[in-house]
Amino acid sequence: MSGTRSEAPLIDAEEDLTPAPPVAAARRRLRAHPALLLLGIVLASLNMRAALAGVSPLVSEIGEHYHLAATASSLVTTIPLVFMGLGSIAAPKLARRWGTETVLCGALVLLCGGILLRVAPPVVALFVGCAVVGTSIALLNVLMPGLIKRDFPEKAAGMTALYSTAMILGATVSAASAVPLENALGAWQGSLASWALLAAVAAAVWIPQAVMARRGTRHGQAAATPAHATEDGPNLSRSPLAWQVTLFMGSQSLIAYVMIAWMPTVFTDHGMSKATAGLVFAFSTLVQMAGSFVVPMLAGRMRRQRLLAVAVTALMACGIVGLLVAPVAGAWIWAVLLGIGQGGALGLALTMMVLRSGDAHTAARLSGMAQTWGYLLAAAGPLVLGAVHQATHGWTVPIVLLLFVCAGLVLLGLGAGRDRRIGAGA
């Protein structure tokens, strides 16, 4: 198996579905117009992290506006993660009933609504909007890899590179422009709300594809039927290897989302300006592309990935130590180390889902397990570290706790990186 990111989706919702004949025919007609499909993929990908990354540089302003303590402020990152985990369970079922194109379009409409809801006056709207944003991103996370593999089977690697690049680019631009948009529009609400426009444009591009994909389908007819029984294959919940892969995914996500929630605040609390902190965070997001492309390629050429797991974790640990000893003086260096390490850890986690599975059906099931439980585990990170920061009135203890997570990540990587297959003998 290749180690490219294209063959390690979070969940391939198309893997176990057989489309209804009218839907299959409609999709063949859609593939005759690849420019529209390509534009839709790029616009959807740009939206997949922008709504989350743009919050990070503004967490302090949001907290001050609603008089929230650090623990409560962390909920703007924690709530989306919880619903990203829960929403991933429903995505394949929705795709089976309504079709991938229709659910993608609906997810973008939902994302647009969630972004706007976050800036509505009552504080409850902020948290409900975060839940809606997380749910919509979960649907996009699950459906995009399978759609790319289905409609561009001969160009899956290149298309996945485009999809990954657009996703990281959206996050980078969102983080870098958060404070400038706040200054230009007069408030943090305007900065956050501006990203609803990108979601609305993407939804508009998917509307004709959603309509075309359902043309000819009888009222009430499902878009697809399962190709496998869900219980086919090994019992993942009883597989130590499956749990090692899942917890590796969750632990590296925990570190990543703690950085998304608190990295700019760590810098500003040590005297850096908001605008500069946003740029450093955006730069760290951008350099994740290096790790996310190189590490999966290396992993696919190795029987064991244990050394890679140690290497990417060491990069993150060095960046975290830097935040502890010289957060402002070495900020750009720590941003590079954390970015490459985080991108590499994510790419390795996705690749191991495929390498540790004996077939595509098991890989899809393992991806579902890893994404669901991984995001739920990751959700605890920003909340717990926010509470510890609030209790200790500083960042030393929270950052030290992240180093313990890195130690656990090494142990999980040593287990998940063995040359083994789930369901096979040791």
Side-chain angles (χ1 to χ4, degrees):
M1 292 183 187
S2 169
T4 61
R5 196 179 178 105
S6 64
E7 296 193 40
L10 293 175
I11 301 176
D12 186 348
E14 296 289 328
E15 189 71 58
D16 292 327
L17 296 181
T18 301
V23 174
R27 286 173 175 167
R28 286 193 293 270
R29 291 193 296 270
L30 279 171
R31 283 194 289 270
H33 306 282
L36 181 64
L37 183 57
L38 181 63
L39 179 62
I41 289 172
V42 170
L43 287 173
S45 302
L46 287 171
N47 277 281
M48 288 176 64
R49 293 295 180 270
L52 297 178
V55 172
S56 186
L58 305 173
V59 166
S60 296
E61 283 75 8
I62 295 171
E64 289 171 7
H65 179 84
Y66 290 112
H67 307 291
L68 301 175
T71 305
S73 295
S74 69
L75 291 174
V76 298
T77 303
T78 299
I79 290 174
L81 286 176
V82 170
F83 281 85
M84 284 167 69
L86 297 176
S88 65
I89 300 172
K93 298 175 183 177
L94 292 173
R96 183 172 70 232
R97 176 63 182 84
W98 300 105
T100 297
E101 296 82 0
T102 302
V103 178
L104 272 173
C105 183
L108 289 164
V109 172
L110 195 66
L111 179 61
C112 181
I115 291 171
L116 294 175
L117 188 58
R118 288 189 307 188
V119 301
V123 68
V124 67
L126 170 68
F127 296 134
V128 173
C130 288
V132 173
V133 166
T135 302
S136 57
I137 291 175
L139 298 177
L140 295 172
N141 275 347
V142 172
L143 298 176
M144 285 292 289
L147 180 137
I148 289 171
K149 287 177 67 177
R150 185 195 75 200
D151 289 342
F152 296 93
E154 304 302 322
K155 301 178 181 178
M159 286 300 301
T160 304
L162 178 64
Y163 145 74
S164 302
T165 302
M167 184 169 63
I168 294 174
L169 181 62
T172 301
V173 173
S174 176
S177 63
V179 175
L181 281 173
E182 179 192 22
N183 295 333
L185 299 174
W188 63 266
Q189 290 93 335
S191 179
L192 289 189
S194 63
W195 293 99
L197 179 61
L198 180 62
V201 171
V205 171
W206 278 99
I207 287 173
Q209 300 184 69
V211 172
M212 289 176 65
R214 293 293 291 176
R215 187 173 295 164
T217 307
R218 297 191 312 274
H219 178 69
Q221 180 182 4
T225 55
H228 298 87
T230 55
E231 64 271 13
D232 284 354
N235 187 333
L236 299 185
S237 65
R238 295 186 178 181
S239 167
L241 181 55
W243 279 110
Q244 287 167 342
V245 173
T246 294
L247 294 175
F248 185 89
M249 175 69 181
S251 298
Q252 66 83 25
S253 294
L254 185 151
I255 295 171
Y257 282 98
V258 165
M259 291 298 128
I260 288 175
W262 294 118
M263 188 180 191
T265 305
V266 171
F267 290 139
T268 56
D269 282 357
H270 285 87
M272 185 181 287
S273 71
K274 284 195 309 177
T276 302
L279 286 175
V280 175
F281 172 64
F283 179 67
S284 182
T285 302
L286 182 64
V287 298
Q288 287 181 24
M289 284 192 287
S292 68
F293 286 125
V294 173
V295 170
M297 286 192 293
L298 293 175
R301 289 163 172 76
M302 302 166 68
R303 291 183 60 190
R304 301 174 184 84
Q305 293 75 38
R306 306 174 88 180
L307 182 60
L308 278 177
V310 173
V312 296
T313 305
L315 286 173
M316 289 191 289
C318 288
I320 291 168
V321 169
L323 293 179
L324 189 64
V325 298
V328 174
W332 294 95
I333 298 174
W334 318 141
V336 170
L337 294 174
L338 282 164
I340 295 175
Q342 288 170 20
L346 175 60
L348 181 59
L350 300 178
T351 305
M352 287 196 297
M353 293 176 196
V354 172
L355 298 179
R356 301 289 86 87
S357 302
D359 54 72
H361 177 59
T362 301
R365 292 173 58 230
L366 177 60
S367 296
M369 174 179 170
Q371 178 165 302
T372 300
W373 291 106
Y375 280 129
L376 292 177
L377 173 61
L383 185 65
V384 171
L385 266 68
V388 173
H389 167 61
Q390 182 180 327
T392 60
H393 305 288
W395 287 108
T396 299
V397 177
I399 291 173
V400 169
L401 288 177
L402 278 184
L403 292 175
F404 281 101
V405 176
C406 287
L409 194 60
V410 167
L411 296 177
L412 291 166
L414 291 175
R418 293 172 299 163
D419 184 20
R420 297 285 187 273
R421 297 290 182 274
I422 293 171

